[in-house]
Amino acid sequence: MRKRTKIALLVFLGLAAVWLLGDLIYASMVAYRVKKWEASVERDDDGVQRGCREYTIGSGQIAVLLIHGINDSPRCYHRMAPVLAEEGFTCRVMRLPGFAQPIERYSQ
C-alpha cells in the first residue's frame, strides 16, 4: 500500500471510531433520560399513563372516531373532543396498542 492510502485509511478509521463513540455516548444519555422520565410518570394498574386512556364523550347521532398519531395518545384530543360533543357528535377517542405505556412495552 502506498503511504497516502495508509494515511487515508487511518483517517477514515479514526473518524469512524469517533462517530461510534459519539453515538454510544448519545445512546447512553437518551437511555438515562428515558429512565428518569419513566420514573416520573404516573400510571394506572394496566401501566397506561394517567389521562391517556381511550374514552367516549357525547351522545349525538353522528359519531366521530378520533385516532392519535405516532408517539401520541388520546390526550391530544382533550380539548377537541368536548367541543365536538357540545356540537352534537358522539366522539370515540381510541388509544392504539402500546401507546402511553412504558417504553419496554411500547418498543415491542
Side-chain angles (χ1 to χ4, degrees):
M1 260 201 223
R2 293 187 322 183
K3 188 173 183 175
R4 277 189 176 170
T5 306
K6 287 181 183 180
I7 292 173
L9 181 60
L10 288 174
V11 168
F12 175 76
L13 291 175
L15 290 174
V18 168
W19 180 297
L20 290 174
L21 180 63
D23 197 37
L24 177 66
I25 291 169
Y26 178 74
S28 298
M29 288 172 39
V30 169
Y32 170 77
R33 287 183 177 188
V34 165
K35 189 175 181 180
K36 187 176 176 181
W37 179 81
E38 281 285 351
S40 71
V41 173
E42 290 184 39
R43 299 190 181 280
D44 64 16
D45 293 337
D46 294 327
V48 177
Q49 188 175 353
R50 296 232 185 258
C52 296
R53 278 272 180 205
E54 58 280 345
Y55 61 93
T56 301
I57 187 170
S59 58
Q61 296 227 353
I62 299 174
V64 177
L65 177 63
L66 300 171
I67 306 169
H68 61 82
I70 189 148
N71 292 331
D72 217 334
S73 72
R75 179 139 177 86
C76 68
Y77 294 112
H78 77 279
R79 290 185 182 168
M80 183 188 299
V83 172
L84 290 170
E86 287 175 12
E87 294 294 323
F89 294 96
T90 298
C91 296
R92 175 67 179 157
V93 182
M94 67 179 289
R95 182 181 62 85
L96 297 173
F99 287 79
Q101 291 189 313
I103 295 295
E104 298 83 39
R105 262 195 238 164
Y106 176 71
S107 65
Q108 294 175 1

